[in-house]
PDB file of all heavy atoms in Angstrom:
ATOM      1  N   GLU B 295     124.702  94.300 106.274  1.00  0.00           N
ATOM      2  CA  GLU B 295     123.821  95.425 106.821  1.00  0.00           C
ATOM      3  C   GLU B 295     123.146  94.891 108.061  1.00  0.00           C
ATOM      4  O   GLU B 295     122.435  93.840 107.908  1.00  0.00           O
ATOM      5  CB  GLU B 295     122.857  95.888 105.758  1.00  0.00           C
ATOM      6  CG  GLU B 295     122.349  97.271 105.872  1.00  0.00           C
ATOM      7  CD  GLU B 295     123.427  98.363 105.830  1.00  0.00           C
ATOM      8  OE1 GLU B 295     124.061  98.457 104.699  1.00  0.00           O
ATOM      9  OE2 GLU B 295     123.683  99.003 106.791  1.00  0.00           O
ATOM     10  N   GLU B 296     123.407  95.454 109.233  1.00  0.00           N
ATOM     11  CA  GLU B 296     122.772  94.857 110.405  1.00  0.00           C
ATOM     12  C   GLU B 296     121.266  95.155 110.616  1.00  0.00           C
ATOM     13  O   GLU B 296     120.645  94.482 111.361  1.00  0.00           O
ATOM     14  CB  GLU B 296     123.615  95.266 111.673  1.00  0.00           C
ATOM     15  CG  GLU B 296     123.302  96.677 112.178  1.00  0.00           C
ATOM     16  CD  GLU B 296     124.077  97.767 111.450  1.00  0.00           C
ATOM     17  OE1 GLU B 296     124.580  97.542 110.395  1.00  0.00           O
ATOM     18  OE2 GLU B 296     124.079  98.871 112.047  1.00  0.00           O
ATOM     19  N   MET B 297     120.734  96.126 109.865  1.00  0.00           N
ATOM     20  CA  MET B 297     119.369  96.456 109.961  1.00  0.00           C
ATOM     21  C   MET B 297     118.808  96.870 108.638  1.00  0.00           C
ATOM     22  O   MET B 297     119.562  97.487 107.839  1.00  0.00           O
ATOM     23  CB  MET B 297     119.295  97.615 110.979  1.00  0.00           C
ATOM     24  CG  MET B 297     118.014  97.709 111.774  1.00  0.00           C
ATOM     25  SD  MET B 297     118.029  99.221 112.697  1.00  0.00           S
ATOM     26  CE  MET B 297     118.967  98.871 114.102  1.00  0.00           C
ATOM     27  N   GLU B 298     117.592  96.606 108.403  1.00  0.00           N
ATOM     28  CA  GLU B 298     116.944  97.029 107.139  1.00  0.00           C
ATOM     29  C   GLU B 298     117.002  98.505 107.093  1.00  0.00           C
ATOM     30  O   GLU B 298     116.892  99.226 108.097  1.00  0.00           O
ATOM     31  CB  GLU B 298     115.538  96.440 107.185  1.00  0.00           C
ATOM     32  CG  GLU B 298     114.846  96.396 105.880  1.00  0.00           C
ATOM     33  CD  GLU B 298     113.980  97.603 105.611  1.00  0.00           C
ATOM     34  OE1 GLU B 298     113.614  98.252 106.613  1.00  0.00           O
ATOM     35  OE2 GLU B 298     113.675  97.831 104.468  1.00  0.00           O
ATOM     36  N   LEU B 299     117.182  99.077 105.842  1.00  0.00           N
ATOM     37  CA  LEU B 299     117.483 100.492 105.773  1.00  0.00           C
ATOM     38  C   LEU B 299     116.325 101.437 106.064  1.00  0.00           C
ATOM     39  O   LEU B 299     116.528 102.510 106.659  1.00  0.00           O
ATOM     40  CB  LEU B 299     118.068 100.808 104.356  1.00  0.00           C
ATOM     41  CG  LEU B 299     119.401 100.178 104.033  1.00  0.00           C
ATOM     42  CD1 LEU B 299     119.870 100.587 102.629  1.00  0.00           C
ATOM     43  CD2 LEU B 299     120.469 100.446 105.099  1.00  0.00           C
ATOM     44  N   HIS B 300     115.091 101.075 105.834  1.00  0.00           N
ATOM     45  CA  HIS B 300     113.945 101.908 106.176  1.00  0.00           C
ATOM     46  C   HIS B 300     113.925 101.964 107.711  1.00  0.00           C
ATOM     47  O   HIS B 300     113.621 102.974 108.350  1.00  0.00           O
ATOM     48  CB  HIS B 300     112.592 101.302 105.732  1.00  0.00           C
ATOM     49  CG  HIS B 300     112.467 101.342 104.222  1.00  0.00           C
ATOM     50  ND1 HIS B 300     112.199 102.478 103.497  1.00  0.00           N
ATOM     51  CD2 HIS B 300     112.562 100.372 103.301  1.00  0.00           C
ATOM     52  CE1 HIS B 300     112.018 102.211 102.218  1.00  0.00           C
ATOM     53  NE2 HIS B 300     112.279 100.880 102.087  1.00  0.00           N
ATOM     54  N   THR B 301     114.232 100.877 108.357  1.00  0.00           N
ATOM     55  CA  THR B 301     114.235 100.757 109.841  1.00  0.00           C
ATOM     56  C   THR B 301     115.306 101.654 110.401  1.00  0.00           C
ATOM     57  O   THR B 301     115.093 102.440 111.326  1.00  0.00           O
ATOM     58  CB  THR B 301     114.488  99.286 110.271  1.00  0.00           C
ATOM     59  OG1 THR B 301     113.519  98.523 109.647  1.00  0.00           O
ATOM     60  CG2 THR B 301     114.380  99.150 111.771  1.00  0.00           C
ATOM     61  N   LYS B 302     116.497 101.677 109.720  1.00  0.00           N
ATOM     62  CA  LYS B 302     117.586 102.577 110.183  1.00  0.00           C
ATOM     63  C   LYS B 302     117.135 103.993 110.036  1.00  0.00           C
ATOM     64  O   LYS B 302     117.440 104.864 110.896  1.00  0.00           O
ATOM     65  CB  LYS B 302     118.814 102.303 109.304  1.00  0.00           C
ATOM     66  CG  LYS B 302     119.642 101.187 109.776  1.00  0.00           C
ATOM     67  CD  LYS B 302     120.965 101.191 108.901  1.00  0.00           C
ATOM     68  CE  LYS B 302     122.131 100.876 109.751  1.00  0.00           C
ATOM     69  NZ  LYS B 302     123.387 100.872 108.933  1.00  0.00           N
ATOM     70  N   ALA B 303     116.473 104.292 108.993  1.00  0.00           N
ATOM     71  CA  ALA B 303     115.984 105.713 108.761  1.00  0.00           C
ATOM     72  C   ALA B 303     115.030 106.130 109.830  1.00  0.00           C
ATOM     73  O   ALA B 303     115.178 107.249 110.414  1.00  0.00           O
ATOM     74  CB  ALA B 303     115.352 105.801 107.339  1.00  0.00           C
ATOM     75  N   LEU B 304     114.103 105.201 110.239  1.00  0.00           N
ATOM     76  CA  LEU B 304     113.186 105.581 111.247  1.00  0.00           C
ATOM     77  C   LEU B 304     113.800 105.599 112.669  1.00  0.00           C
ATOM     78  O   LEU B 304     113.461 106.430 113.531  1.00  0.00           O
ATOM     79  CB  LEU B 304     111.988 104.575 111.223  1.00  0.00           C
ATOM     80  CG  LEU B 304     110.999 104.934 110.148  1.00  0.00           C
ATOM     81  CD1 LEU B 304     110.305 103.751 109.541  1.00  0.00           C
ATOM     82  CD2 LEU B 304     109.920 105.883 110.690  1.00  0.00           C
ATOM     83  N   TYR B 305     114.829 104.791 112.830  1.00  0.00           N
ATOM     84  CA  TYR B 305     115.580 104.804 114.093  1.00  0.00           C
ATOM     85  C   TYR B 305     116.280 106.158 114.242  1.00  0.00           C
ATOM     86  O   TYR B 305     116.293 106.811 115.278  1.00  0.00           O
ATOM     87  CB  TYR B 305     116.693 103.774 114.133  1.00  0.00           C
ATOM     88  CG  TYR B 305     116.269 102.457 114.844  1.00  0.00           C
ATOM     89  CD1 TYR B 305     115.252 101.650 114.360  1.00  0.00           C
ATOM     90  CD2 TYR B 305     116.861 102.134 116.031  1.00  0.00           C
ATOM     91  CE1 TYR B 305     114.817 100.546 115.029  1.00  0.00           C
ATOM     92  CE2 TYR B 305     116.440 100.988 116.728  1.00  0.00           C
ATOM     93  CZ  TYR B 305     115.419 100.195 116.170  1.00  0.00           C
ATOM     94  OH  TYR B 305     115.000  99.067 116.827  1.00  0.00           O
TER      95      TYR B 305
END
Side-chain angles (χ1 to χ4, degrees):
E295 202 64 64
E296 78 277 16
M297 207 189 277
E298 199 264 340
L299 296 183
H300 293 284
T301 306
K302 275 185 139 181
L304 280 147
Y305 265 67

